[in-house]
Amino acid sequence: MWTEANDFTPKQLFDFVKQNENINPQPKISRLKNPLTKQKRKSTLVPLDSFLKSDKDYEKELIKAIKKTKKDKKWLNKYFDLIRDILTDLNIGEQSPKITMSVTKDLKMPISIGQRYIVCPRQRRDAIGLILPLDFRDIIADYPTAVINEDYFYDKKRNQEALWIDFDSDIIFTDDKFLFTQWKNAAKTELDRTMYSGFRRTHNPFYYKAAMDYNYRQTIIE
């Protein structure tokens, strides 16, 4: 139900209350001889939907974010193919409440499972951030340009549970099956322990479509 909810502002809520403030509540009844004879009082609420405005253009938002990456068509296709592969391998459908593929206000494009990022292309350098298991630290020397960001990912007791590592995109795009498997395992850990993504309300459905539908993707890139 949470994932299907609409956002609304305090003013919209206030207006809704004001429109309905004259509706009388059901009077208290201390005793009923026959409950079937109770006549229910019907109140007509002004629908909250009438105060909600959904004018967000998700497709336009995605196009702006893609432009801001300043990447060429070849890079973009490789990135979206990477996303398609992990969504397919983890069997994550378009309507899954566990994933959020969002475009932030500053036009970044992170993908989250549950409460944690699993991937995010970097805007300032030709890099992509990935979530990876803790034991990847032991072999990171095999990836000399990789950089661990120690700000992620901790439980409530400040025990680190996963790593966030930035890789040069050419490393990720070399079809490194070992790296992909490690990434998928870390993402699956998040998938298995969550019921829904806390960021789901920011999900951009066209981001998912661009990853999975090649023809649509080319239209967007063009």
Side-chain angles (χ1 to χ4, degrees), residues 117-122 127-131 164-167 172 183:
Y117 287 170
I118 65 163
V119 60
C120 185
R122 298 306 190 193
I128 297 174
L130 301 178
I131 189 173
W164 182 253
I165 305 179
D166 286 336
F167 294 87
I172 294 178
W183 175 42

Side-chain angles (χ1 to χ4, degrees), residues 74-157:
K74 184 177 180 181
W75 193 101
L76 290 168
N77 274 308
K78 287 183 177 181
Y79 173 74
F80 281 116
D81 284 345
L82 181 75
I83 303 307
R84 180 199 60 205
D85 289 346
I86 196 167
L87 293 176
T88 301
D89 282 14
L90 294 179
N91 194 29
I92 298 176
E94 183 178 5
Q95 302 301 323
S96 173
K98 296 185 177 185
I99 192 170
T100 298
M101 301 177 67
S102 59
V103 174
T104 64
K105 290 182 179 180
D106 54 356
L107 300 179
K108 294 179 181 178
M109 300 170 62
I111 298 177
S112 306
I113 291 179
Q115 318 312 314
R116 292 176 175 171
Y117 287 170
I118 65 163
V119 60
C120 185
R122 298 306 190 193
Q123 293 175 336
R124 295 183 180 179
R125 52 180 289 226
D126 189 17
I128 297 174
L130 301 178
I131 189 173
L132 286 161
L134 283 177
D135 55 11
F136 197 89
R137 189 187 295 274
D138 298 332
I139 57 173
I140 196 171
D142 295 338
Y143 299 85
T145 60
V147 178
I148 299 177
N149 187 329
E150 299 291 358
D151 293 336
Y152 303 83
F153 293 100
Y154 297 85
D155 63 15
K156 293 181 180 179
K157 296 182 179 180

Side-chain angles (χ1 to χ4, degrees), residues 193-209:
R193 70 177 178 176
T194 189
M195 295 299 294
Y196 64 89
S197 172
F199 311 105
R200 182 67 183 176
R201 65 178 183 169
T202 66
H203 180 72
N204 187 318
F206 293 99
Y207 192 171
Y208 185 98
K209 186 175 182 180

Side-chain angles (χ1 to χ4, degrees), residues 170-215:
D170 58 350
I171 299 297
I172 294 178
F173 294 157
T174 56
D175 194 26
D176 186 330
K177 291 183 171 55
F178 174 78
L179 178 59
F180 182 84
T181 299
Q182 292 293 305
W183 175 42
K184 185 173 72 172
N185 289 343
K188 189 175 187 306
T189 296
E190 302 305 318
L191 189 69
D192 289 344
R193 70 177 178 176
T194 189
M195 295 299 294
Y196 64 89
S197 172
F199 311 105
R200 182 67 183 176
R201 65 178 183 169
T202 66
H203 180 72
N204 187 318
F206 293 99
Y207 192 171
Y208 185 98
K209 186 175 182 180
M212 304 302 287
D213 186 333
Y214 180 80
N215 291 330

